Amino acid sequence: MEDNTARFEKLLVKNGLKRTAPRLQVLEILSGRDSATSQPYLEQVMGKDADRVTLYRVLQAFEEKGIIHKVLDQQGTANYAICSDGCSAHEHHDEHVHFNCDNCHKIYCLDTVKIPALKVPAGFKVDRLNLIATGLCASCSDKVN
Amino acid sequence: MEDNTARFEKLLVKNGLKRTAPRLQVLEILSGRDSATSQPYLEQVMGKDADRVTLYRVLQAFEEKGIIHKVLDQQGTANYAICSDGCSAHEHHDEHVHFNCDNCHKIYCLDTVKIPALKVPAGFKVDRLNLIATGLCASCSDKVN
DNA sequence: ATTATATTTGCAACATAATTGCATTAAAAT
DNA sequence: ATTTTAATGCAATTATGTTGCAAATATAAT
């Protein structure tokens, strides 16, 4: 599947968004990475191809439509990853665990790991869960040993 | 136990920190609240009693010593809460669940709720866990009904 | 009590991150 | 082709966090 572009264009149209260069570029970059991508990184890679403000707005629009989801890392920096197919504007299915590596600082979406059920005190109504595990990723713990 | 001040002074001395007005004030404010407190709120309450920079440094020093711990809310804003007694500079015991209310935006430390054990893919080494639940707190879900 | 010291504070300047308004441009609809 | 609507880029502004340094203050030493 080399023709990502066509796929992305469809994705945009489906969500009522126009097919513009900055938007396609963001989708290309995000899809080409195995972990969530920080806003600063995107900004750096895109360079002068797109204004900083445009990037913010693209990310915001994508998030609202459920095309991408935001994960905050330990420092509170926003990181973005393309949502799996189940996501939509109204129903995010990103309740999987995010893994933040202390060494390479990548953020992995561990789609296979589900967050166990949780007992909360009476009266509390849980709507969403966000679990961030920190430590060493498989690749980095290999190198250390 | 109305004499918090004496208690706080001891806490500072124990951690090799001098007993200064801004530090005591931060401890007073944090201890008087039932949920984690955001940096902006602290800044607002302290007003011109302390410089913004001082506040940052006080919070940083407290965190390093294990006197308080930081929780990031959904927006990535730093929130602080006094650690329970088990905490120290070297060993934070803040692996409990934090609850972020959508309505009042308070952050509760649910000390009683433990994070369930987690299965991660081979090679990943988990060091710390941070689980944020979002929804309605007991007080707010009461009001709604 | 006074002085010495080491820490802490407050200020100024700077750096980074994010938002808003508005004119211009580009995409889609007619 | 023209119109309409959405998106971009720029400038200005606000929020957030950091650093260096001189002045002030808490504690230890005398």
Side-chain angles (χ1 to χ4, degrees):
Chain A
M1 51 150 108
E2 186 38 51
D3 199 359
N4 276 331
T5 308
R7 195 161 57 88
F8 293 150
E9 290 181 356
K10 249 184 270 180
L11 187 60
L12 291 176
V13 171
K14 192 179 76 179
N15 285 284
L17 297 173
K18 289 183 177 173
R19 183 208 57 110
T20 68
R23 285 174 178 166
L24 289 171
Q25 197 182 354
V26 168
L27 290 175
E28 285 292 349
I29 297 172
L30 290 184
S31 71
R33 291 168 53 82
D34 64 345
S35 60
T37 304
S38 73
Q39 190 279 335
Y41 176 87
L42 283 166
E43 194 174 321
Q44 184 202 313
V45 170
M46 299 183 60
K48 62 173 191 54
D49 290 349
D51 192 77
R52 233 158 53 82
V53 179
T54 299
L55 177 55
Y56 280 117
R57 287 192 277 225
V58 166
L59 293 172
Q60 186 186 306
F62 284 1
E63 207 193 349
E64 281 168 5
K65 299 295 185 178
I67 296 174
I68 61 177
H69 69 268
K70 190 203 290 200
V71 203
L72 297 176
D73 67 16
Q74 251 60 28
Q75 289 79 44
T77 304
N79 286 260
Y80 298 91
I82 293 189
C83 285
S84 53
D85 293 337
C87 286
S88 71
H90 302 300
E91 194 180 5
H92 265 279
H93 291 282
D94 61 340
E95 299 212 343
H96 50 271
V97 176
H98 290 105
F99 189 93
N100 203 164
C101 180
D102 278 327
N103 189 247
C104 64
H105 300 109
K106 280 188 182 177
I107 296 185
Y108 296 89
C109 297
L110 304 183
D111 297 274
T112 56
V113 181
K114 291 302 165 199
I115 299 181
L118 206 68
K119 287 186 192 59
V120 294
F124 284 77
K125 303 242 190 315
V126 175
D127 179 43
R128 285 157 280 147
L129 288 174
N130 183 16
L131 176 52
I132 300 181
T134 314
L136 287 178
C137 71
S139 162
C140 285
S141 56
D142 262 3
K143 284 173 201 153
V144 170
N145 297 332
Chain B
M1 53 149 107
E2 185 40 49
D3 200 359
N4 276 331
T5 308
R7 194 160 57 86
F8 294 149
E9 290 181 356
K10 250 183 270 180
L11 187 60
L12 291 176
V13 171
K14 192 180 76 179
N15 284 284
L17 298 172
K18 290 184 175 172
R19 184 209 58 111
T20 68
R23 285 173 177 166
L24 289 172
Q25 197 183 354
V26 167
L27 291 175
E28 285 291 349
I29 297 173
L30 290 185
S31 71
R33 291 169 52 83
D34 62 346
S35 60
T37 303
S38 73
Q39 190 279 335
Y41 176 87
L42 283 166
E43 194 174 320
Q44 184 202 313
V45 170
M46 298 184 59
K48 63 174 191 51
D49 290 350
D51 191 77
R52 231 159 52 82
V53 179
T54 300
L55 177 54
Y56 279 114
R57 288 193 276 224
V58 166
L59 292 172
Q60 187 185 303
F62 283 2
E63 206 191 350
E64 280 166 6
K65 299 295 185 178
I67 297 174
I68 61 177
H69 70 267
K70 190 204 289 201
V71 203
L72 296 176
D73 66 17
Q74 253 59 29
Q75 289 81 44
T77 305
N79 286 259
Y80 298 90
I82 293 189
C83 285
S84 52
D85 294 336
C87 286
S88 72
H90 302 298
E91 193 182 5
H92 265 280
H93 292 281
D94 60 340
E95 299 211 343
H96 51 270
V97 176
H98 290 106
F99 189 94
N100 204 162
C101 180
D102 278 328
N103 187 247
C104 64
H105 300 108
K106 281 189 182 176
I107 296 183
Y108 296 88
C109 298
L110 304 183
D111 298 274
T112 57
V113 181
K114 291 300 165 200
I115 298 180
L118 207 67
K119 286 185 192 60
V120 294
F124 285 76
K125 304 243 189 314
V126 175
D127 179 42
R128 285 157 280 149
L129 288 174
N130 183 17
L131 176 51
I132 300 181
T134 315
L136 287 178
C137 71
S139 161
C140 286
S141 56
D142 261 4
K143 285 174 200 150
V144 171
N145 297 333

